[in-house]
Coordinates of all heavy atoms in Angstrom, one line a residue:
M1 N 107.9 94.5 128.2 CA 109.3 95.0 128.1 C 110.1 94.2 127.0 O 110.9 94.7 126.3 CB 110.0 94.9 129.4 CG 111.4 95.4 129.5 SD 111.4 97.1 129.2 CE 113.1 97.5 129.3
K2 N 109.7 92.9 126.9 CA 110.5 92.0 126.0 C 110.2 92.4 124.5 O 111.0 92.3 123.6 CB 110.2 90.6 126.2 CG 108.8 90.1 126.0 CD 108.6 88.7 126.2 CE 107.2 88.3 126.2 NZ 107.0 86.9 126.5
F3 N 109.0 93.0 124.3 CA 108.7 93.4 122.9 C 109.4 94.7 122.5 O 109.7 94.9 121.3 CB 107.2 93.6 122.8 CG 106.4 92.3 123.0 CD1 105.7 92.0 124.2 CD2 106.5 91.3 122.0 CE1 105.1 90.8 124.4 CE2 105.9 90.0 122.2 CZ 105.2 89.8 123.4
L4 N 109.8 95.5 123.5 CA 110.6 96.7 123.2 C 112.0 96.2 122.8 O 112.6 96.7 121.9 CB 110.7 97.6 124.4 CG 109.5 98.4 124.7 CD1 109.8 99.2 126.0 CD2 109.1 99.3 123.6
I5 N 112.5 95.2 123.5 CA 113.8 94.6 123.1 C 113.8 94.0 121.7 O 114.7 94.2 121.0 CB 114.2 93.6 124.2 CG1 114.5 94.3 125.5 CG2 115.5 92.9 123.8 CD1 114.7 93.5 126.7
I6 N 112.7 93.3 121.4 CA 112.6 92.7 120.1 C 112.6 93.8 119.0 O 113.2 93.7 118.0 CB 111.3 91.8 120.0 CG1 111.4 90.6 120.9 CG2 111.0 91.4 118.6 CD1 110.1 89.8 121.0
G7 N 111.8 94.9 119.3 CA 111.8 96.0 118.3 C 113.2 96.6 118.1 O 113.6 97.0 117.0
I8 N 113.9 96.8 119.2 CA 115.3 97.3 119.2 C 116.2 96.4 118.4 O 117.1 96.8 117.6 CB 115.8 97.7 120.5 CG1 115.0 98.8 121.1 CG2 117.3 98.0 120.5 CD1 115.3 99.1 122.6
I9 N 116.0 95.1 118.6 CA 116.8 94.1 117.8 C 116.6 94.2 116.3 O 117.5 94.1 115.5 CB 116.6 92.7 118.4 CG1 117.2 92.5 119.8 CG2 117.1 91.6 117.4 CD1 116.9 91.3 120.5
F10 N 115.3 94.4 116.0 CA 114.9 94.5 114.6 C 115.6 95.8 114.0 O 116.1 95.8 112.9 CB 113.4 94.6 114.4 CG 112.8 93.2 114.3 CD1 111.5 93.0 115.0 CD2 113.3 92.2 113.7 CE1 110.9 91.9 115.0 CE2 112.7 90.9 113.6 CZ 111.5 90.8 114.3
L11 N 115.6 96.8 114.8 CA 116.2 98.1 114.3 C 117.7 97.9 114.1 O 118.3 98.3 113.1 CB 116.0 99.2 115.3 CG 114.5 99.7 115.4 CD1 114.4 100.7 116.5 CD2 114.1 100.3 114.1
A12 N 118.4 97.2 115.0 CA 119.8 96.9 114.9 C 120.1 96.0 113.7 O 121.1 96.3 113.0 CB 120.3 96.3 116.2
I13 N 119.3 95.0 113.5 CA 119.5 94.1 112.3 C 119.3 94.9 111.0 O 120.1 94.7 110.0 CB 118.5 93.0 112.4 CG1 118.8 92.0 113.5 CG2 118.5 92.2 111.0 CD1 117.8 90.9 113.7
G14 N 118.4 95.9 111.0 CA 118.2 96.7 109.8 C 119.5 97.5 109.5 O 119.9 97.6 108.3
I15 N 120.1 98.1 110.5 CA 121.3 98.9 110.3 C 122.4 98.0 109.9 O 123.2 98.3 109.0 CB 121.6 99.6 111.6 CG1 120.5 100.7 111.9 CG2 123.0 100.3 111.5 CD1 120.6 101.3 113.2
L16 N 122.5 96.8 110.5 CA 123.6 95.9 110.2 C 123.5 95.3 108.8 O 124.5 95.2 108.1 CB 123.7 94.8 111.2 CG 124.2 95.1 112.6 CD1 124.1 93.9 113.5 CD2 125.7 95.6 112.5
V17 N 122.3 95.1 108.3 CA 122.1 94.5 107.0 C 122.5 95.6 105.9 O 123.0 95.2 104.9 CB 120.6 94.1 106.8 CG1 120.2 93.9 105.4 CG2 120.4 92.8 107.5
K18 N 122.2 96.8 106.2 CA 122.6 97.9 105.3 C 124.1 98.0 105.2 O 124.6 98.2 104.1 CB 122.0 99.2 105.8 CG 122.4 100.4 105.0 CD 121.7 100.4 103.6 CE 122.1 101.7 102.9 NZ 121.8 101.6 101.5
I19 N 124.8 97.9 106.3 CA 126.2 98.0 106.3 C 126.9 96.7 105.8 O 127.9 96.7 105.0 CB 126.8 98.3 107.7 CG1 126.2 99.7 108.1 CG2 128.3 98.3 107.7 CD1 126.4 100.0 109.6
F20 N 126.4 95.5 106.2 CA 127.0 94.3 105.9 C 125.9 93.4 105.2 O 125.2 92.6 105.8 CB 127.5 93.5 107.1 CG 128.4 94.3 107.9 CD1 128.1 94.7 109.2 CD2 129.7 94.5 107.5 CE1 129.0 95.4 109.9 CE2 130.6 95.2 108.3 CZ 130.3 95.7 109.5
P21 N 125.7 93.5 103.8 CA 124.7 92.8 103.1 C 124.9 91.2 103.2 O 123.9 90.5 103.0 CB 124.7 93.3 101.7 CG 126.0 94.0 101.6 CD 126.5 94.4 102.9
N22 N 126.1 90.8 103.5 CA 126.3 89.3 103.6 C 125.5 88.7 104.8 O 125.4 87.5 104.8 CB 127.7 89.0 103.7 CG 128.5 89.1 102.4 OD1 127.9 89.0 101.4 ND2 129.8 89.3 102.5
L23 N 124.9 89.5 105.6 CA 124.1 88.9 106.7 C 122.8 88.4 106.3 O 122.1 87.6 106.9 CB 123.9 90.0 107.8 CG 125.1 90.5 108.6 CD1 124.8 91.6 109.6 CD2 125.7 89.3 109.4
L24 N 122.4 88.8 105.1 CA 121.2 88.3 104.5 C 121.3 86.9 104.1 O 122.4 86.4 103.6 CB 120.8 89.1 103.2 CG 120.3 90.5 103.5 CD1 120.2 91.3 102.1 CD2 119.0 90.6 104.2
A25 N 120.3 86.1 104.4 CA 120.4 84.6 104.2 C 120.5 84.4 102.7 O 119.7 84.9 101.9 CB 119.2 83.9 104.7
G26 N 121.5 83.6 102.3 CA 121.7 83.2 100.9 C 122.5 84.2 100.1 O 122.8 84.0 98.9
Y27 N 122.8 85.4 100.6 CA 123.5 86.4 99.8 C 124.9 86.0 99.4 O 125.3 86.3 98.3 CB 123.5 87.7 100.6 CG 124.0 88.9 99.8 CD1 123.1 89.6 99.0 CD2 125.3 89.3 99.9 CE1 123.6 90.7 98.3 CE2 125.8 90.4 99.1 CZ 124.9 91.1 98.4 OH 125.4 92.1 97.6
S28 N 125.6 85.3 100.3 CA 126.9 84.9 100.0 C 126.9 83.7 98.9 O 128.0 83.5 98.3 CB 127.7 84.4 101.2 OG 127.0 83.4 101.8
N29 N 125.8 83.1 98.7 CA 125.7 82.0 97.7 C 125.3 82.5 96.3 O 125.3 81.7 95.4 CB 124.7 80.9 98.2 CG 125.2 80.2 99.4 OD1 126.4 80.1 99.7 ND2 124.3 79.7 100.2
L30 N 125.0 83.8 96.2 CA 124.6 84.3 94.9 C 125.8 84.4 94.0 O 127.0 84.5 94.4 CB 124.0 85.7 95.1 CG 122.7 85.8 95.8 CD1 122.4 87.3 96.0 CD2 121.6 85.1 95.1
S31 N 125.6 84.2 92.7 CA 126.6 84.4 91.7 C 127.0 85.9 91.7 O 126.3 86.8 92.2 CB 126.2 83.9 90.3 OG 125.1 84.8 89.8
Q32 N 128.1 86.2 91.0 CA 128.6 87.6 91.0 C 127.6 88.4 90.2 O 127.3 89.6 90.6 CB 130.0 87.6 90.2 CG 130.6 89.0 90.3 CD 130.9 89.5 91.7 OE1 131.2 88.7 92.6 NE2 130.8 90.8 91.9
R33 N 127.0 87.9 89.2 CA 126.0 88.7 88.4 C 124.7 89.0 89.2 O 124.2 90.1 89.2 CB 125.6 87.9 87.2 CG 124.7 88.7 86.2 CD 124.5 87.9 84.9 NE 123.1 87.9 84.6 CZ 122.2 87.0 84.8 NH1 122.6 85.8 85.3 NH2 121.0 87.1 84.5
E34 N 124.3 88.0 90.0 CA 123.1 88.2 90.9 C 123.4 89.2 92.0 O 122.6 90.0 92.4 CB 122.7 86.9 91.5 CG 122.0 86.0 90.5 CD 121.7 84.6 91.0 OE1 122.4 84.1 91.9 OE2 120.7 84.0 90.6
R35 N 124.7 89.2 92.5 CA 125.1 90.1 93.5 C 125.1 91.5 93.0 O 124.6 92.5 93.6 CB 126.5 89.8 94.1 CG 126.5 88.8 95.1 CD 127.8 88.7 95.8 NE 127.9 87.4 96.5 CZ 128.9 87.1 97.2 NH1 130.0 87.8 97.3 NH2 128.9 85.9 97.9
E36 N 125.6 91.7 91.8 CA 125.6 93.0 91.1 C 124.2 93.5 90.9 O 123.9 94.7 91.1 CB 126.3 93.0 89.8 CG 127.8 92.8 90.0 CD 128.6 92.5 88.7 OE1 127.9 92.5 87.6 OE2 129.8 92.3 88.8
N37 N 123.3 92.6 90.5 CA 121.9 92.9 90.3 C 121.2 93.4 91.6 O 120.5 94.4 91.6 CB 121.1 91.8 89.7 CG 121.1 91.7 88.2 OD1 121.6 92.6 87.5 ND2 120.7 90.6 87.7
S38 N 121.5 92.6 92.6 CA 120.9 93.0 93.9 C 121.4 94.3 94.5 O 120.7 95.0 95.1 CB 121.1 91.8 94.9 OG 122.4 91.6 95.2
Q39 N 122.7 94.5 94.3 CA 123.3 95.8 94.7 C 122.7 97.0 93.9 O 122.4 98.0 94.4 CB 124.8 95.8 94.6 CG 125.5 94.9 95.6 CD 125.5 95.6 97.0 OE1 125.3 96.8 97.1 NE2 125.6 94.8 98.0
T40 N 122.6 96.8 92.6 CA 122.1 97.8 91.7 C 120.6 98.1 92.0 O 120.2 99.3 92.0 CB 122.3 97.4 90.2 OG1 123.6 97.1 90.0 CG2 121.8 98.5 89.3
N41 N 119.9 97.0 92.3 CA 118.5 97.2 92.6 C 118.2 97.5 94.1 O 117.1 97.6 94.6 CB 117.7 95.9 92.3 CG 117.7 95.7 90.8 OD1 117.7 96.6 90.0 ND2 117.7 94.4 90.4
S42 N 119.3 97.8 94.8 CA 119.3 98.2 96.2 C 118.6 97.3 97.2 O 117.7 97.7 98.0 CB 118.7 99.6 96.4 OG 117.3 99.7 96.0
L43 N 118.9 96.0 97.1 CA 118.4 95.0 98.0 C 118.8 95.3 99.4 O 117.9 95.2 100.3 CB 118.9 93.6 97.6 CG 118.5 92.4 98.5 CD1 117.0 92.3 98.6 CD2 119.1 91.2 98.1
P44 N 120.0 95.6 99.8 CA 120.3 95.9 101.2 C 119.5 97.1 101.7 O 119.1 97.0 102.9 CB 121.8 96.3 101.2 CG 122.4 95.6 100.0 CD 121.3 95.6 99.0
T45 N 119.2 98.1 100.9 CA 118.4 99.2 101.4 C 117.0 98.8 101.7 O 116.4 99.2 102.7 CB 118.4 100.3 100.3 OG1 119.8 100.7 100.1 CG2 117.7 101.6 100.8
V46 N 116.4 98.0 100.8 CA 115.1 97.5 101.0 C 115.0 96.6 102.2 O 114.0 96.7 103.0 CB 114.6 96.7 99.7 CG1 113.2 96.1 100.0 CG2 114.4 97.7 98.6
A47 N 116.0 95.7 102.4 CA 116.0 94.9 103.6 C 116.1 95.7 104.9 O 115.4 95.4 105.9 CB 117.1 93.8 103.5
C48 N 116.9 96.8 104.8 CA 117.1 97.7 106.0 C 115.7 98.3 106.3 O 115.3 98.4 107.4 CB 118.1 98.7 105.6 SG 118.3 100.0 106.9
L49 N 115.0 98.8 105.2 CA 113.8 99.4 105.4 C 112.7 98.5 106.0 O 112.0 98.8 106.9 CB 113.3 99.9 104.1 CG 111.9 100.6 104.1 CD1 112.0 101.9 104.8 CD2 111.4 100.9 102.6
I50 N 112.7 97.2 105.5 CA 111.7 96.3 106.1 C 112.0 95.9 107.5 O 111.1 95.9 108.4 CB 111.7 95.0 105.2 CG1 111.1 95.3 103.8 CG2 110.9 93.9 105.9 CD1 111.2 94.2 102.8
F51 N 113.3 95.7 107.9 CA 113.6 95.5 109.3 C 113.3 96.6 110.2 O 112.9 96.5 111.3 CB 115.1 95.0 109.4 CG 115.3 93.5 109.2 CD1 116.1 93.1 108.1 CD2 114.8 92.6 110.0 CE1 116.3 91.8 107.9 CE2 115.0 91.2 109.8 CZ 115.8 90.8 108.7
T52 N 113.6 97.8 109.7 CA 113.3 99.0 110.5 C 111.8 99.2 110.7 O 111.4 99.5 111.8 CB 113.9 100.3 109.7 OG1 115.3 100.1 109.5 CG2 113.7 101.5 110.5
L53 N 111.0 98.9 109.6 CA 109.6 99.0 109.8 C 109.1 97.9 110.8 O 108.2 98.2 111.6 CB 108.9 98.9 108.5 CG 109.0 100.1 107.5 CD1 108.3 99.7 106.2 CD2 108.2 101.2 108.2
M54 N 109.7 96.8 110.7 CA 109.3 95.7 111.7 C 109.6 96.2 113.1 O 108.8 95.9 114.0 CB 110.1 94.4 111.4 CG 109.6 93.7 110.1 SD 110.7 92.4 109.6 CE 110.4 91.2 110.9
G55 N 110.8 96.8 113.3 CA 111.1 97.2 114.7 C 110.2 98.4 115.1 O 109.7 98.3 116.3
L56 N 109.9 99.3 114.3 CA 109.0 100.4 114.7 C 107.6 100.0 114.9 O 107.0 100.4 115.9 CB 109.1 101.5 113.6 CG 110.4 102.3 113.4 CD1 110.3 103.2 112.2 CD2 110.7 103.0 114.7
V57 N 107.1 99.1 114.1 CA 105.7 98.6 114.4 C 105.7 97.8 115.6 O 104.7 97.9 116.4 CB 105.2 97.7 113.2 CG1 103.9 97.0 113.5 CG2 105.1 98.6 111.9
T58 N 106.7 97.0 116.0 CA 106.7 96.3 117.2 C 106.7 97.2 118.4 O 106.0 97.0 119.4 CB 107.9 95.3 117.2 OG1 107.9 94.5 116.1 CG2 107.9 94.5 118.5
I59 N 107.5 98.2 118.4 CA 107.6 99.2 119.5 C 106.3 100.0 119.6 O 105.8 100.1 120.7 CB 108.8 100.1 119.3 CG1 110.1 99.3 119.4 CG2 108.8 101.3 120.2 CD1 111.4 100.1 119.0
V60 N 105.8 100.5 118.5 CA 104.5 101.2 118.6 C 103.4 100.3 119.0 O 102.5 100.7 119.8 CB 104.2 101.8 117.2 CG1 102.8 102.3 117.1 CG2 105.2 102.9 116.9
G61 N 103.4 99.0 118.6 CA 102.4 98.0 119.1 C 102.5 97.8 120.5 O 101.5 97.6 121.2
H62 N 103.7 97.8 121.1 CA 103.8 97.6 122.6 C 103.2 98.8 123.3 O 102.4 98.6 124.2 CB 105.3 97.5 122.9 CG 105.5 97.6 124.4 ND1 105.1 96.6 125.2 CD2 106.0 98.6 125.2 CE1 105.4 96.9 126.5 NE2 106.0 98.1 126.5
F63 N 103.5 100.0 122.8 CA 102.9 101.2 123.5 C 101.4 101.2 123.3 O 100.7 101.7 124.2 CB 103.6 102.5 123.1 CG 105.0 102.6 123.6 CD1 106.1 102.6 122.8 CD2 105.2 102.6 125.0 CE1 107.3 102.8 123.3 CE2 106.5 102.8 125.5 CZ 107.5 102.8 124.7
A64 N 100.9 100.8 122.1 CA 99.5 100.8 121.9 C 98.8 99.7 122.9 O 97.7 100.0 123.4 CB 99.2 100.4 120.5
S65 N 99.4 98.6 123.1 CA 98.8 97.6 124.0 C 98.8 98.1 125.4 O 97.9 97.8 126.2 CB 99.6 96.3 123.9 OG 100.8 96.3 124.4
V66 N 99.9 98.8 125.8 CA 99.9 99.4 127.1 C 98.8 100.5 127.3 O 98.1 100.5 128.3 CB 101.3 100.0 127.5 CG1 101.2 100.8 128.8 CG2 102.3 98.9 127.6
W67 N 98.7 101.3 126.3 CA 97.7 102.4 126.3 C 96.3 101.9 126.3 O 95.4 102.4 127.0 CB 97.9 103.3 125.1 CG 97.0 104.5 125.1 CD1 97.0 105.5 126.0 CD2 96.1 104.8 124.1 NE1 96.0 106.4 125.6 CE2 95.4 106.0 124.4 CE3 95.7 104.2 122.9 CZ2 94.5 106.6 123.7 CZ3 94.6 104.7 122.2 CH2 94.1 106.0 122.6
L68 N 96.0 100.8 125.5 CA 94.7 100.2 125.5 C 94.4 99.2 126.6 O 93.3 98.7 126.7 CB 94.5 99.5 124.1 CG 94.5 100.4 122.9 CD1 94.5 99.6 121.6 CD2 93.3 101.3 122.9
N69 N 95.5 98.9 127.4 CA 95.4 98.0 128.5 C 95.0 96.6 128.1 O 94.1 96.0 128.6 CB 94.4 98.5 129.6 CG 94.6 97.9 130.9 OD1 95.6 97.3 131.2 ND2 93.6 98.0 131.8
Q70 N 95.6 96.2 127.0 CA 95.4 94.8 126.4 C 96.7 94.2 126.2 O 97.3 94.2 125.1 CB 94.6 94.9 125.1 CG 93.2 95.4 125.3 CD 92.4 95.4 123.9 OE1 93.0 95.2 122.9 NE2 91.1 95.5 124.0
P71 N 97.2 93.5 127.2 CA 98.6 92.9 127.1 C 98.7 91.8 126.0 O 99.8 91.6 125.5 CB 98.9 92.3 128.5 CG 97.6 92.3 129.2 CD 96.7 93.3 128.5
E72 N 97.6 91.1 125.7 CA 97.7 90.1 124.6 C 97.9 90.7 123.3 O 98.3 90.0 122.3 CB 96.4 89.2 124.7 CG 95.1 89.9 124.2 CD 94.4 90.7 125.3 OE1 94.9 90.7 126.5 OE2 93.4 91.4 125.0
L73 N 97.6 92.0 123.1 CA 97.8 92.6 121.8 C 99.3 92.7 121.5 O 99.7 92.6 120.3 CB 97.3 94.1 121.9 CG 97.2 94.9 120.6 CD1 96.3 94.2 119.6 CD2 96.7 96.3 120.9
D74 N 100.2 92.7 122.4 CA 101.6 92.7 122.2 C 102.1 91.5 121.4 O 102.8 91.6 120.4 CB 102.4 92.7 123.6 CG 103.0 94.0 123.9 OD1 103.1 94.9 123.1 OD2 103.4 94.1 125.1
S75 N 101.7 90.3 121.9 CA 102.2 89.1 121.2 C 101.5 88.9 119.9 O 102.2 88.4 118.9 CB 101.9 87.9 122.1 OG 100.5 87.8 122.4
N76 N 100.3 89.4 119.7 CA 99.6 89.2 118.4 C 100.3 90.2 117.4 O 100.6 89.7 116.3 CB 98.2 89.6 118.5 CG 97.4 88.6 119.3 OD1 97.8 87.5 119.5 ND2 96.2 89.0 119.8
I77 N 100.6 91.4 117.8 CA 101.3 92.3 116.9 C 102.7 91.9 116.5 O 103.0 91.9 115.3 CB 101.3 93.7 117.5 CG1 99.9 94.4 117.4 CG2 102.3 94.6 116.7 CD1 99.8 95.7 118.1
S78 N 103.4 91.4 117.5 CA 104.7 90.9 117.2 C 104.8 89.7 116.3 O 105.6 89.6 115.3 CB 105.5 90.6 118.5 OG 104.9 89.5 119.1
M79 N 103.8 88.8 116.4 CA 103.7 87.6 115.5 C 103.4 88.0 114.1 O 103.9 87.5 113.1 CB 102.7 86.6 116.1 CG 102.7 85.3 115.3 SD 104.3 84.5 115.2 CE 104.6 84.1 116.9
I80 N 102.4 88.9 114.0 CA 102.0 89.5 112.7 C 103.2 90.2 112.0 O 103.4 90.0 110.8 CB 100.8 90.4 112.8 CG1 99.5 89.5 113.2 CG2 100.5 91.1 111.5 CD1 98.3 90.3 113.6
V81 N 103.9 90.9 112.7 CA 105.1 91.7 112.2 C 106.1 90.7 111.8 O 106.7 90.9 110.6 CB 105.6 92.7 113.3 CG1 107.0 93.1 112.9 CG2 104.7 93.8 113.4
I82 N 106.4 89.7 112.5 CA 107.5 88.7 112.2 C 107.1 88.0 110.9 O 107.9 87.8 110.0 CB 107.8 87.8 113.3 CG1 108.4 88.6 114.5 CG2 108.6 86.6 112.9 CD1 108.6 87.8 115.8
L83 N 105.8 87.5 110.9 CA 105.4 86.7 109.7 C 105.3 87.6 108.5 O 105.8 87.2 107.4 CB 104.1 86.0 110.0 CG 104.1 84.9 111.0 CD1 102.7 84.4 111.3 CD2 105.0 83.8 110.6
G84 N 104.7 88.7 108.6 CA 104.6 89.7 107.5 C 106.0 90.1 107.0 O 106.2 90.2 105.8
G85 N 106.9 90.4 107.9 CA 108.2 90.9 107.5 C 109.0 89.8 106.8 O 109.7 90.0 105.8
A86 N 108.8 88.5 107.2 CA 109.5 87.4 106.6 C 109.0 87.2 105.2 O 109.8 87.0 104.2 CB 109.3 86.1 107.4
V87 N 107.7 87.3 105.0 CA 107.1 87.2 103.6 C 107.6 88.3 102.7 O 108.0 88.1 101.6 CB 105.6 87.1 103.7 CG1 105.0 87.2 102.3 CG2 105.1 85.8 104.4
A88 N 107.6 89.5 103.3 CA 108.0 90.7 102.5 C 109.5 90.6 102.1 O 109.8 90.9 101.0 CB 107.7 92.0 103.3
L89 N 110.3 90.1 103.0 CA 111.7 89.9 102.7 C 112.0 88.9 101.6 O 112.8 89.1 100.7 CB 112.5 89.6 104.0 CG 112.9 90.7 104.9 CD1 113.4 90.2 106.2 CD2 113.9 91.6 104.3
V90 N 111.3 87.8 101.7 CA 111.5 86.8 100.7 C 111.0 87.2 99.3 O 111.7 87.1 98.3 CB 110.7 85.5 101.1 CG1 110.6 84.5 99.9 CG2 111.4 84.8 102.3
V91 N 109.8 87.9 99.3 CA 109.2 88.3 98.0 C 110.1 89.4 97.4 O 110.5 89.3 96.2 CB 107.8 88.8 98.2 CG1 107.3 89.5 96.9 CG2 106.9 87.6 98.5
F92 N 110.5 90.4 98.2 CA 111.2 91.5 97.6 C 112.7 91.1 97.3 O 113.2 91.6 96.3 CB 111.2 92.7 98.5 CG 109.9 93.5 98.5 CD1 109.1 93.6 99.6 CD2 109.5 94.1 97.3 CE1 107.9 94.3 99.6 CE2 108.3 94.7 97.3 CZ 107.5 94.9 98.4
S93 N 113.3 90.2 98.1 CA 114.6 89.8 97.7 C 114.7 89.0 96.5 O 115.6 89.2 95.7 CB 115.2 89.0 98.9 OG 114.5 87.8 99.1
N94 N 113.7 88.2 96.2 CA 113.6 87.4 95.0 C 113.4 88.4 93.8 O 114.0 88.2 92.7 CB 112.5 86.4 95.0 CG 113.0 85.1 95.7 OD1 114.2 84.8 95.8 ND2 112.0 84.4 96.2
L95 N 112.5 89.4 93.9 CA 112.3 90.3 92.9 C 113.5 91.1 92.5 O 113.9 91.3 91.4 CB 111.1 91.3 93.2 CG 109.7 90.7 93.2 CD1 108.7 91.7 93.7 CD2 109.4 90.2 91.8
L96 N 114.2 91.6 93.6 CA 115.3 92.5 93.3 C 116.6 91.7 92.9 O 117.4 92.3 92.3 CB 115.6 93.3 94.6 CG 114.5 94.3 95.0 CD1 114.9 94.9 96.3 CD2 114.4 95.4 93.9
T97 N 116.7 90.5 93.3 CA 117.9 89.7 92.9 C 117.7 89.3 91.4 O 118.7 89.3 90.7 CB 118.0 88.5 93.7 OG1 118.2 88.9 95.1 CG2 119.2 87.7 93.3
N98 N 116.6 88.9 91.0 CA 116.4 88.4 89.6 C 116.0 89.5 88.6 O 115.9 89.2 87.4 CB 115.3 87.3 89.6 CG 115.8 86.2 90.5 OD1 116.9 85.8 90.5 ND2 114.8 85.5 91.2
K99 N 115.7 90.7 89.0 CA 115.3 91.8 88.1 C 116.6 92.2 87.3 O 117.6 92.5 87.8 CB 114.8 93.0 88.9 CG 114.4 94.1 88.0 CD 113.8 95.3 88.9 CE 113.5 96.5 88.1 NZ 113.1 97.6 89.0
R100 N 116.4 92.3 86.0 CA 117.5 92.6 85.1 C 117.6 94.1 84.9 O 116.6 94.8 84.9 CB 117.3 92.0 83.8 CG 117.0 90.5 83.8 CD 118.1 89.8 83.0 NE 117.8 88.4 83.0 CZ 118.5 87.5 83.6 NH1 119.6 87.8 84.2 NH2 118.1 86.2 83.5
I101 N 118.8 94.6 84.8 CA 119.0 96.0 84.6 C 119.3 96.2 83.1 O 120.1 95.5 82.5 CB 120.3 96.5 85.3 CG1 120.0 96.3 86.8 CG2 120.5 98.0 85.0 CD1 118.9 97.1 87.4
S102 N 118.5 97.0 82.4 CA 118.7 97.2 81.0 C 119.7 98.2 80.6 O 120.2 98.9 81.4 CB 117.4 97.5 80.3 OG 116.7 98.6 81.0

């Protein structure tokens, strides 16, 4: 049950990040030019997509572990989702913040 709550929290964070991009770590410390680059390159949309995928994979992983009758699969999937999502967020946010618009 706790993994369903974690998935719902990820979905909520995805929606909030799309509406309020200042919730992203370090976003408020960016210069005005970097903020414009990240807005133009749709950083909040990409962050929303990554958090939404993290939530959906966590929820689907919970139901898969129940269906397969393997409760340890829940914690493994959630750990992989959290670590993979964190890496994806760092990589894509750096790419989208520093990418120049011609």
Side-chain angles (χ1 to χ4, degrees):
M1 183 67 180
K2 65 182 173 182
F3 297 105
L4 288 177
I5 295 171
I6 291 171
I8 292 169
I9 289 172
F10 279 139
L11 292 173
I13 290 172
I15 293 168
L16 287 174
V17 163
K18 176 69 174 166
I19 298 170
F20 305 110
N22 281 338
L23 291 175
L24 290 170
Y27 188 84
S28 59
N29 294 333
L30 294 176
S31 67
Q32 186 63 30
R33 188 173 133 259
E34 288 175 330
R35 279 190 195 181
E36 290 172 2
N37 275 346
S38 64
Q39 286 288 338
T40 306
N41 294 330
S42 67
L43 175 63
T45 304
V46 172
C48 173
L49 178 67
I50 291 173
F51 275 116
T52 303
L53 286 175
M54 288 170 66
L56 291 175
V57 170
T58 303
I59 291 170
V60 168
H62 170 71
F63 287 118
S65 72
V66 169
W67 183 64
L68 294 172
N69 199 16
Q70 294 183 345
E72 68 275 358
L73 189 63
D74 255 347
S75 59
N76 292 338
I77 287 177
S78 66
M79 187 56 64
I80 291 169
V81 164
I82 292 170
L83 293 175
V87 169
L89 280 170
V90 168
V91 168
F92 284 118
S93 65
N94 279 335
L95 286 175
L96 294 175
T97 300
N98 297 323
K99 181 179 172 185
R100 307 242 187 243
I101 301 298
S102 49

